[in-house]
Amino acid sequence: AQKVTQAQTEISVVEKEDVTLDCVYETRDTTYYLFWYKQPPSGELVFLIRRNSFDEQNEISGRYSWNFQKSTSSFNFTITASQVVDSAVYFCALSEAKGGSEKLVFGKGTKLTVNP
Amino acid sequence: GAGVSQTPSNKVTEKGKYVELRCDPISGHTALYWYRQSLGQGPEFLIYFQGTGAADDSGLPNDRFFAVRPEGSVSTLKIQRTERGDSAVYLCASSLRGTAMNTEAFFGQGTRLTVV
């Protein structure tokens, strides 16, 4: 069965600090997809990144970076030089996308608060 | 519209009543998803449409829940004989072809359903 664990329920940092959000997943499939979404107070989930299981190359997008390690089944997300606008709940998600199923399995989320 | 639109934004209903929640996906998106998010939890998959057909309805909790997408665009989630436990935010998302086909899912702002 698929499962996504985000062990950090809440994190609070001061602006300009770096912060890493952890994500550990479980799946029996060799082909799967990993995602990160941001949910600001407005409630709308905002897509941040999608990774497939065959691409372990780390990715950087501005202040955001992602570290995918199949050996530890982890897909961690780092925000460098955090800003107040980064305050939100962040969700990691997994999709096996087999047999026509497209469902995303989400973790419980990590609430990030960036204080000025 | 530019994004996924969900109506109503808020719905309060009495236990035992019937409700319909509407989702207008982004124009041209063939994939449509319904999720349910309870307070402090990640979104939970309900159903996935590819075109007019439900490709995966394994997340519907019981036969009180039903969803349709008759013309492959707008979708309606229907809940019969509502119970207090149905209270949650119901999220709709759409993607051009499907998240496993390398297109991201865009989420609406959700409908907050409260059953009293």
Side-chain angles (χ1 to χ4, degrees):
Chain A
Q2 299 168 283
K3 185 178 179 182
V4 175
T5 301
Q6 295 180 255
Q8 305 148 308
T9 305
E10 292 193 42
I11 299 176
S12 183
V13 300
V14 177
E15 208 170 16
K16 297 184 183 177
E17 282 186 36
D18 298 348
V19 58
T20 295
L21 310 182
D22 297 333
C23 173
V24 174
Y25 61 92
E26 294 177 30
T27 178
R28 292 179 181 173
D29 272 3
T30 56
T31 302
Y32 52 90
Y33 306 87
L34 295 164
F35 303 78
W36 276 95
Y37 280 86
K38 174 182 180 180
Q39 189 173 44
S42 61
E44 186 173 337
L45 282 159
V46 177
F47 170 86
L48 296 178
I49 190 171
R50 173 188 181 277
R51 251 313 183 238
N52 73 54
S53 53
F54 298 110
D55 183 3
E56 284 193 76
Q57 193 171 14
N58 291 331
E59 181 156 340
I60 298 175
S61 175
R63 296 184 298 106
Y64 295 170
S65 62
W66 291 270
N67 185 336
F68 176 28
Q69 293 198 352
K70 286 179 75 170
S71 61
T72 56
S73 297
S74 65
F75 187 44
N76 296 338
F77 172 33
T78 297
I79 302 174
T80 303
S82 59
Q83 300 176 1
V84 173
V85 293
D86 296 328
S87 297
V89 180
Y90 290 86
F91 291 98
C92 180
L94 165 71
S95 172
E96 289 182 343
K98 65 175 180 180
S101 175
E102 286 269 333
K103 70 179 182 183
L104 291 171
V105 175
F106 285 84
K108 291 187 176 182
T110 297
K111 182 178 181 181
L112 173 65
T113 302
V114 181
N115 298 298
Chain B
V4 176
S5 176
Q6 292 188 246
T7 53
S9 55
N10 277 285
K11 176 72 176 178
V12 180
T13 190
E14 292 181 349
K15 179 175 177 292
K17 298 288 189 184
Y18 167 83
V19 295
E20 288 189 352
L21 311 179
R22 177 187 169 107
C23 173
D24 280 87
I26 293 172
S27 178
H29 281 194
T30 62
L32 185 144
Y33 317 78
W34 283 99
Y35 287 82
R36 176 169 71 174
Q37 186 175 20
S38 300
L39 193 63
Q41 302 294 315
E44 175 190 20
F45 172 80
L46 295 177
I47 187 169
Y48 157 62
F49 287 92
Q50 184 58 251
T52 60
D56 182 356
D57 64 358
S58 63
L60 294 177
N62 51 59
D63 61 6
R64 295 187 298 104
F65 288 74
F66 190 70
V68 296
R69 194 185 185 199
E71 297 178 359
S73 178
V74 171
S75 176
T76 304
L77 178 66
K78 308 180 181 191
I79 310 174
Q80 299 177 323
R81 304 183 304 280
T82 51
E83 299 177 356
R84 293 196 178 89
D86 298 335
S87 297
V89 176
Y90 288 81
L91 296 167
C92 178
S94 70
S95 68
L96 188 58
R97 291 188 297 278
T99 55
M101 303 172 90
N102 209 30
T103 57
E104 65 180 272
F106 295 86
F107 282 79
Q109 290 191 318
T111 293
R112 182 176 298 278
L113 175 66
T114 304
V115 182
V116 297

